[in-house]
């Protein structure tokens, strides 16, 4: 049962918690990385649930302790109680354990981002982001996606084979995003590389995040001097009164979220449709199952796996675990989606069930209408590819497909397919 104890020992977000508030690492703590975590997460979640329940003591890289919340009910409780489980990472009681070049630092280190803001400050900027995104014309967006999709497919359609990850799913969303945000063409290749390096959670992450900050700063300066019909310009004009530092910090997660999760949503959906007999008819040109496949992937192989997270404001209990002030709680979106209490049956029985947590939950969930825009991009990408290459099939056995290691996202290392070669015109973007 989820409850909380009445305590008054709040941890101020502006200062580091005293070390005495941090409990020693649990002797049964599980390392939240490794082969099973990367390649067989469903087995990992089931074992964690069986051995530890809905809240698991874990160790992050460097043996840094945290709590991994994998119960659907518990994740909803944490994200729905910002007064008890807050977002500002300065509350964390384990900063003294973090090495300088820690691979997870880009998503944990404090910055003036809307992702870490709380209360009225968060509301001010999240409302501005929603307004700026809502101004995107959905029909125009779908048209842009179709043109980008056709251009990318033209590049490999004559080969009779392709890696749909590297050549299609990974490339389409950023090419769409740069237009929506007004990113100059010359900045695009390096920006894409840096976003992928940050998500890779390795030794390149911190340096890549620094380069992204500079890219976004140049974008903000350019759009302030020469505004256009793009999301960045709309944010600068918004009554919320963005500062340059705030805009830089908010552009990074906005563009990254439009790029990585959407691209992996496309790739994971294509994988499902290629390995699951249920969707064989769709590969022959049907449309009805595309939305169903997209939704099933959000339940079973969501591209957004985990989030760091929330930080306890005061002592409390969560599923019988004693949580101390400043403790880190990692939100397991994928694990909560797999909770047997809520997960819909496979093979289409839960096609209309959208109660997954793949877009987050609560005040810091993915802001409206970002999920709607992401679905326009993902659905259009899948439908155009199926129309153009209806006889494509996997070029390897399904069990040979491997997942790249990442704490944040679920992404295939490659998705090789073969198909009948087709002559295509060159259609520039």
């Amino acid at each position: 049962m989820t409850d909380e104890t009445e305590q008054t020992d709040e941890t101020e977000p502006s200062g580091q918690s005293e070390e005495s508030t941090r409990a020693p690492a649990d002797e049964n703590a599980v390392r939240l990385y490794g082969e099973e975590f990367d390649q067989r997460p469903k087995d990992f979640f089931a074992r964690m649930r069986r051995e530890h329940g809905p809240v698991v003591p874990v160790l992050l890289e460097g043996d840094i302790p945290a709590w991994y919340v994998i119960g659907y009910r518990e994740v909803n409780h944490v994200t729905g109680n910002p007064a008890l489980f807050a977002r500002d990472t300065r509350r964390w009681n384990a900063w003294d354990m973090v090495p300088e070049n820690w691979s997870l630092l880009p998503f944990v280190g404090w910055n003036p981002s809307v992702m870490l803001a709380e209360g009225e400050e968060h509301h001010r900027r999240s409302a501005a982001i929603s307004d700026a995104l809502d101004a995107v014309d959905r029909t125009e967006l779908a048209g842009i996606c179709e043109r980008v999709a056709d251009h990318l497919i033209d590049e490999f359609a004559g080969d009779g084979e392709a890696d749909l990850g590297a050549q299609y799913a990974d490339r389409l969303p950023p090419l769409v995003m740069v237009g929506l945000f007004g990113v100059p063409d010359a900045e695009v290749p390096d920006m894409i590389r840096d976003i992928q390096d940050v998500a890779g959670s390795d030794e390149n992450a911190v340096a890549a995040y620094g380069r992204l900050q500079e890219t976004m700063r140049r974008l903000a300066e350019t759009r302030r001097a020469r505004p256009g019909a793009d999301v960045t310009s709309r944010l600068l004009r918004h009554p919320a009164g963005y500062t340059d530092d705030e805009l830089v910090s908010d552009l990074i997660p906005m563009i990254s979220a439009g790029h990585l999760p959407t691209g992996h949503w496309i790739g994971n959906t294509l994988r499902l449709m290629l390995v699951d007999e249920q969707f064989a008819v769709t590969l022959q040109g049907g449309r009805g199952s595309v939305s169903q496949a997209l939704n099933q992937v959000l339940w079973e192989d969501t591209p957004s796996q985990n989030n760091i997270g929330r930080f306890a404001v005061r002592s409390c209990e969560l599923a019988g675990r004693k949580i101390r002030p400043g403790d880190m709680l990692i939100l397991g979106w994928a694990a909560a989606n797999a909770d047997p209490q809520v997960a819909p049956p496979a093979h289409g029985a839960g096609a209309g069930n959208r109660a997954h947590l793949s877009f987050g939950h609560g005040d810091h969930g993915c802001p409206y209408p970002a999920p709607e825009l992401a679905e326009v991009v993902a659905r259009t990408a899948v439908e155009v590819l199926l129309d153009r290459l209806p006889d494509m099939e996997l070029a390897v056995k399904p069990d040979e497909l491997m997942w790249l290691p990442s704490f944040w996202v679920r992404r295939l290392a490659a998705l090789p397919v073969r198909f009948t070669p087709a002559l295509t015109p060159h259609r520039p973007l």
Side-chain angles (χ1 to χ4, degrees):
M1 181 176 179
T2 301
D3 57 10
E4 59 186 81
T5 60
E6 293 299 326
Q7 298 286 338
T8 58
D9 51 342
E10 287 201 9
T11 303
E12 292 297 328
S14 58
Q16 182 174 305
S17 303
E18 294 184 5
E19 186 176 354
S20 60
T21 65
R22 170 165 39 87
D26 191 292
E27 63 179 9
N28 296 315
V30 179
R31 284 178 168 77
L32 206 56
Y33 49 88
E35 197 269 344
E36 184 183 28
F37 179 72
D38 292 326
Q39 301 299 326
R40 302 186 306 281
K42 294 174 187 175
D43 294 342
F44 181 84
F45 301 150
R47 182 166 64 85
M48 292 304 95
R49 212 178 309 276
R50 184 172 61 251
E51 295 179 0
H52 298 276
V55 179
V56 184
V58 295
L59 296 174
L60 299 175
E61 176 191 339
D63 286 349
I64 299 175
W67 298 104
Y68 191 31
V69 187
I70 64 174
Y72 185 93
R73 178 189 177 193
E74 286 72 23
V75 168
N76 274 273
H77 178 73
V78 170
T79 55
N81 287 273
L84 181 59
F85 302 104
R87 191 66 183 92
D88 194 316
T89 63
R90 290 174 294 185
R91 298 177 185 274
W92 192 18
N93 59 24
W95 275 115
D96 59 299
M97 301 182 67
V98 176
E100 182 178 352
N101 204 39
W102 196 43
S103 63
L104 300 181
L105 194 58
F107 291 90
V108 183
W110 187 86
N111 61 68
S113 164
V114 67
M115 294 183 67
L116 304 183
E118 298 175 357
E120 288 301 315
E121 174 66 10
H122 178 264
H123 177 74
R124 172 178 70 90
R125 287 155 65 185
S126 63
I129 290 171
S130 292
D131 290 344
L133 292 176
D134 201 27
V136 175
D137 183 278
R138 279 55 161 182
T139 302
E140 181 179 348
L141 176 61
I144 294 171
C145 293
E146 288 180 7
R147 291 194 295 274
V148 172
D150 277 325
H151 171 78
L152 294 176
I153 296 168
D154 287 348
E155 293 182 351
F156 58 76
D159 298 337
E161 61 182 14
D163 175 359
L164 293 183
Q167 293 179 262
Y168 189 68
D170 293 347
R171 294 180 62 196
L172 187 146
L175 291 175
V176 173
M177 288 299 107
V178 295
L180 290 183
F181 285 84
V183 180
D185 291 345
E187 300 271 18
V188 173
D190 288 344
M191 185 191 72
I192 292 174
R193 178 206 63 206
D194 289 336
I195 290 174
Q196 292 173 336
D197 282 350
V198 169
S201 305
D202 58 20
E203 66 277 3
N204 300 313
V206 173
Y209 189 80
R211 292 192 298 268
L212 274 179
Q213 288 178 309
E214 291 307 310
T215 300
M216 296 303 108
R217 194 170 299 281
R218 290 192 294 272
L219 173 60
E221 291 171 353
T222 299
R223 283 295 165 254
R224 195 178 287 280
R226 296 189 298 277
D230 53 74
V231 173
T232 305
S233 299
R234 287 195 287 272
L235 285 173
L236 285 167
R237 294 193 297 264
H238 198 276
Y242 262 92
T243 68
D244 284 354
D245 285 345
E246 289 173 345
L247 185 61
V248 167
S249 295
D250 288 357
L251 285 173
I252 292 175
M254 290 175 69
I255 295 178
S256 298
H259 169 192
L260 292 176
T262 306
H264 304 337
W265 192 9
I266 294 167
N268 295 357
T269 299
L270 291 171
R271 170 197 165 276
L272 175 66
M273 301 182 83
L274 288 162
V275 303
D276 194 323
E277 293 181 0
Q278 172 197 355
F279 297 104
V281 65
T282 308
L283 294 175
Q284 305 304 316
R287 293 295 186 96
S289 295
V290 172
S291 292
Q292 178 182 331
L294 286 165
N295 192 56
Q296 186 166 323
V297 162
L298 292 179
W299 278 106
E300 298 183 1
D301 278 314
T302 179
S304 300
Q305 293 282 292
N306 302 295
N307 175 254
I308 298 180
R310 299 294 186 272
F311 301 85
V313 174
R314 59 180 183 268
S315 294
C316 61
E317 285 192 3
L318 184 66
R321 299 286 190 178
K322 180 175 175 54
I323 310 298
R324 294 174 176 252
D327 277 3
M328 173 193 285
L329 292 94
I330 299 165
L331 304 175
W333 305 129
N337 286 344
D339 191 330
Q341 294 187 45
V342 297
H347 305 297
N353 186 340
R354 292 178 176 262
H356 55 74
L357 297 174
S358 296
F359 295 114
H361 180 263
D363 290 349
H364 279 83
C366 200
Y368 172 85
E372 178 185 323
L373 299 179
E375 185 167 0
V376 170
V377 175
R379 185 178 64 248
T380 303
V382 173
E383 289 179 349
V384 172
L385 184 67
L386 297 183
D387 283 347
R388 293 283 305 274
L389 304 174
D391 67 342
M392 65 180 174
E393 61 182 14
L394 273 181
V396 298
K397 296 179 180 179
D399 59 8
E400 294 178 25
L401 297 173
M402 298 296 293
W403 301 93
L404 287 176
S406 173
F407 182 84
W408 310 105
V409 296
R410 184 151 171 82
R411 174 201 174 194
L412 287 167
L415 184 57
V417 295
R418 52 178 172 253
F419 47 83
T420 301
L423 295 177
T424 60
H426 177 66
R427 286 177 279 204
L429 286 174

